[in-house]
Amino acid sequence: MALRHLQNKLRRSAYSAAQFAKVGWYTTQYIGARHISGPLTPPGEVPKPFQSAPTSQAALRKAFLHLLAQEARDIEKGVYKLPKAFRTPPSPLRLAKQAKSYFKEARAVAVRSKTKGGATEVREGVEGDYPSYYLQNFHFQTDGWLSESSAKIYDTQVEALFTGAAATMRRRLLPPLLTEVAKLQEKDVSIHIADIGCGTGRLVAEIVDNAPNVKITGIDLSKAYLDVARDYVGTKKSVSFMEGAAETLPFEDDSVDILTSVYLFHELPPKIRREVASEIARVLKPGGLYIHADSLQYGDTDLDLLLEAFPRAFHEPFYDGYCREDLSVLFGEQGFSTESQELAFLTKVNSFRLKTPGEE
C-alpha cells in the first residue's frame, strides 16, 4: 500500500512538472501569435458589439486550473496513464522547428484574416471527392485540411491556441471510454472503437496507450492528416486508419462498440450534424456508447464571450450555430440517452448511450 501511494505521488509530481513546462512553452507562443495577429477588427472597421457579458479572467483561470487538477487526480489514481509525451524528454530541436513553422503560419493567417474574401474561398481543382463545407478555409489556415504542411503544424497551432491544454482537454474522453472498455472486457467480447474525424491521430494514440489490445479505427477525410496520424501512432495490428466522411461511415450496421469524436461537430453545417448523428446511431451496436468532445456551448459557463468572439477571430462558419445546438435533442432524435457530461476548460465531453430496441 505504501509503495502504491509513493508511485501515485511520483506520477502526479512528474505530471505537474511536465504540464507546467508545456503550458509555459505554448503560452509564450500564444502571446507571440496574438502580437502578430493584431486587433480582432480590421483597420477602418467599427467593431461589432458583443451580446455576452465580459469574461472574468478569474473564472477563466479557475476553469483552466480545474482541468489540470482533474487530470492530475485521475493519473494519480491510475484512471489512465501518465501521457506518453510526458514520459520521454522532448526534443528541443523539434520544438524549435515547430515554433518556427507556427510563427511563419501565424503571419500568413494574420494577412488572410484581414483580407476581404480571405476566409471563404473554396479550392477549385482539388483532387478528391470532398464535401463543399470541408473545402472552406477554416481558421484562415493555409491549405485548410488538404496539405502535408497543414497537417504537420496543426497540433502546434491547437496547443498554442489553448495555451498547452488541448491534449489535456482531449484526454477527458478517456475516463468514460476506459470504463466502457473495462465493462466490455468483463463480458469477454471483442471490442471495436472508432474515432471519427481523427485528424492527426492524437486521441487514437492515447487510447492505444491505455487499451493496447482493443481494435481501433481512425476515420478522416484528409489523406495528409491520416499520413501524419499513421506516422504518429506507428504500426500496430490493432489500429487502422481509413479515409472517409463522418456522414458516410465505412462500417456495417451495429458493428462498433464505442464511437468518439473530438472538435468535429462545430465544423459541420446543421444538416450534416444530423446526418452524422444518424450515422453514429447506425453503426453503433445497440447499447453502444458515443463520446462527444467539442466546444463549450452558450450557457454552460460564464465564458460565453469567448465563444462569441471565437468565430470572429478564426474563420468558423458553423461555430456559433453549434454553440446554440441542443445536443440532447440532436442525439435524442437518433435514439440516444445522455449518460454523463464533464466541462473541461473550453471543452465539453458528453457520453451518449444508444438505446436498445424496445427501451424507452
Side-chain angles (χ1 to χ4, degrees), residues 63-96:
F64 184 83
L65 294 176
H66 177 78
L67 168 71
L68 303 188
Q70 182 60 59
E71 175 159 86
R73 285 192 293 270
D74 280 347
I75 290 171
E76 183 178 356
K77 292 186 297 183
V79 174
Y80 54 89
K81 293 181 180 179
L82 180 70
K84 205 170 189 176
F86 291 170
R87 303 200 299 262
T88 55
S91 164
L93 179 60
R94 180 178 60 83
L95 289 175

Side-chain angles (χ1 to χ4, degrees), residues 54-206:
T55 294
S56 161
Q57 289 301 310
L60 187 63
R61 190 181 308 110
K62 181 180 179 180
F64 184 83
L65 294 176
H66 177 78
L67 168 71
L68 303 188
Q70 182 60 59
E71 175 159 86
R73 285 192 293 270
D74 280 347
I75 290 171
E76 183 178 356
K77 292 186 297 183
V79 174
Y80 54 89
K81 293 181 180 179
L82 180 70
K84 205 170 189 176
F86 291 170
R87 303 200 299 262
T88 55
S91 164
L93 179 60
R94 180 178 60 83
L95 289 175
K97 287 181 177 178
Q98 288 175 339
K100 182 180 179 181
S101 297
Y102 170 70
F103 285 120
K104 180 181 178 181
E105 175 65 4
R107 294 183 183 93
V109 166
V111 171
R112 198 173 291 117
S113 69
K114 302 298 190 297
T115 302
K116 187 175 181 179
T120 58
E121 72 275 15
V122 175
R123 289 153 187 78
E124 297 180 359
V126 172
E127 294 184 4
D129 186 19
Y130 295 109
S132 60
Y133 69 82
Y134 188 75
L135 297 178
Q136 296 194 65
N137 196 337
F138 291 101
H139 317 147
F140 301 108
Q141 66 191 40
T142 304
D143 301 324
W145 311 116
L146 300 171
S147 72
E148 179 183 355
S149 58
S150 167
K152 286 185 174 180
I153 195 62
Y154 175 76
D155 289 294
T156 300
Q157 290 175 308
V158 174
E159 287 294 354
L161 174 65
F162 293 114
T163 58
T168 311
M169 294 189 291
R170 187 186 304 118
R171 284 191 293 267
R172 297 318 300 160
L173 281 83
L174 290 178
L177 184 145
L178 295 174
T179 298
E180 186 72 5
V181 167
K183 289 178 181 178
L184 292 170
Q185 287 175 333
E186 288 179 357
K187 299 178 181 178
D188 195 26
V189 296
S190 60
I191 304 170
H192 184 192
I193 300 173
D195 182 34
I196 56 176
C198 67
T200 59
R202 266 44 184 182
L203 177 62
V204 172
E206 299 282 6

Side-chain angles (χ1 to χ4, degrees), residues 2 19 38 76 110 118 138 181 200 217 235 262 268 284 288 292 301 316 329 331 348:
Q19 189 67 278
E76 183 178 356
F138 291 101
V181 167
T200 59
T217 305
T235 303
V262 182
L268 302 175
L284 265 182
H292 175 101
T301 67
E316 286 282 5
V329 172
F331 292 104
K348 179 165 62 174

Side-chain angles (χ1 to χ4, degrees), residues 254 259 276-286 334-336 354:
D254 307 335
L259 257 165
V276 176
S278 176
E279 273 292 273
I280 292 171
R282 179 185 68 79
V283 304
L284 265 182
K285 294 177 181 177
Q334 301 300 328
F336 287 93
L354 184 62

